Amino acid sequence: DAGITQSPRHKVTETGTPVTLRCHQTENHRYMYWYRQDPGHGLRLIHYSYGVKDTDKGEVSDGYSVSRSKTEDFLLTLESATSSQTSVYFCAIRQGDYNSPLHFGNGTRLTVT
Amino acid sequence: DQQVKQNSPSLSVQEGRISILNCDYTNSMFDYFLWYKKYPAEGPTFLISISSIKDKNEDGRFTVFLNKSAKHLSLHIVPSQPGDSAVYFCAAVPNTGTASKLTFGTGTRLQVTL
């Protein structure tokens, strides 16, 4: 168990509303990631963090922002949700050095109506 | 532009036989490759990896083969078991930077039948 908790596990929201997803880790790892999974696309990187207040964009970052004010928490925010952001969102941590595998949480299923 | 491709969306194999899952990549900067297994309603779970300095890595029933010249890797599962039924993703990491940004394929759903 990599000690990753994602909340909420499920959420339904309306177009145009703000949404924040939370990823919490218990092991003080430096690197944290947000991916989304969609049919036909696999998992795609949204944003990642390499330390407190240190974040960078992934390949599908438009419409998303992140924050990391504490080592253990990495937040993903959709400022104004759109139907194209309906997806399953996974948080991941890297437990070791470069090229260590990422370990994933169990995901948040978000539906934007 | 899909840099990591899994061209078979699904595969059905009988219990006890070999399962072979394939993955192709286009980016020559990738130098580390991983396979993940995913069950419904769970996150992906790391299975096995291989560095570009090797052409084979084995872990129990799972073996990954890498053919750099063909930009192709494959995962062999022998013997296949019903519990192996899941979606399998291959992923690749470039040799630039230290952030371990994985690029995933689209996945292959493996069904192991009795």
Side-chain angles (χ1 to χ4, degrees):
Chain A
D1 183 5
I4 305 170
T5 304
Q6 291 187 233
S7 58
R9 290 296 313 275
H10 302 270
K11 185 168 183 67
V12 180
T13 192
E14 293 184 348
T15 298
T17 60
V19 177
T20 296
L21 309 183
R22 179 180 183 240
C23 178
H24 178 80
Q25 60 151 328
T26 59
E27 300 179 351
N28 272 349
H29 296 292
R30 180 181 172 196
Y31 282 86
M32 299 183 75
Y33 306 78
W34 277 108
Y35 281 85
R36 60 178 287 177
Q37 183 195 1
D38 304 287
H41 291 279
L43 288 93
R44 293 177 293 174
L45 180 64
I46 306 171
H47 282 280
Y48 68 98
S49 170
Y50 47 96
V52 173
K53 297 193 187 329
D54 292 322
T55 65
D56 205 350
K57 296 179 180 180
E59 62 176 301
V60 291
S61 59
D62 287 349
Y64 301 96
S65 62
V66 289
S67 65
R68 193 164 177 203
S69 59
K70 299 184 290 184
T71 300
E72 59 265 36
D73 289 326
F74 191 30
L75 304 181
L76 177 70
T77 297
L78 292 67
E79 301 290 348
S80 177
T82 67
S83 58
S84 65
Q85 294 176 311
T86 293
S87 186
V88 181
Y89 292 85
F90 289 100
C91 173
I93 61 173
R94 193 181 85 189
Q95 291 184 308
D97 295 333
Y98 177 65
N99 278 350
S100 297
L102 302 190
H103 294 265
F104 288 82
N106 283 328
T108 294
R109 180 173 294 276
L110 176 67
T111 302
V112 183
T113 61
Chain B
D1 178 29
Q2 195 75 29
Q3 297 185 62
V4 179
K5 301 178 184 179
Q6 293 177 256
N7 291 319
S8 298
S10 63
L11 175 67
S12 182
V13 172
Q14 277 190 322
E15 181 181 12
R17 307 292 287 267
I18 184 171
S19 294
I20 300 176
L21 294 91
N22 294 304
C23 180
D24 297 293
Y25 61 97
T26 57
N27 189 341
S28 300
M29 302 298 284
F30 290 144
D31 71 344
Y32 187 65
F33 304 88
L34 309 91
W35 284 94
Y36 281 81
K37 177 170 72 174
K38 186 184 180 304
Y39 293 120
E42 296 183 9
T45 303
F46 169 69
L47 200 54
I48 192 169
S49 62
I50 188 167
S51 166
S52 60
I53 63 173
K54 296 184 176 182
D55 54 18
K56 176 183 175 181
N57 189 26
E58 190 172 353
D59 184 1
R61 298 186 296 113
F62 302 91
T63 303
V64 56
F65 296 92
L66 176 62
N67 182 334
K68 290 187 292 293
S69 60
K71 294 189 175 67
H72 176 83
L73 62 154
S74 61
L75 175 67
H76 292 212
I77 306 173
V78 183
S80 300
Q81 299 174 353
D84 296 329
S85 297
V87 178
Y88 289 79
F89 292 98
C90 66
V93 184
N95 61 5
T96 56
T98 60
S100 301
K101 294 185 287 184
L102 272 62
T103 299
F104 284 84
T106 53
T108 296
R109 182 178 302 277
L110 173 65
Q111 182 175 10
V112 179
T113 59
L114 299 175

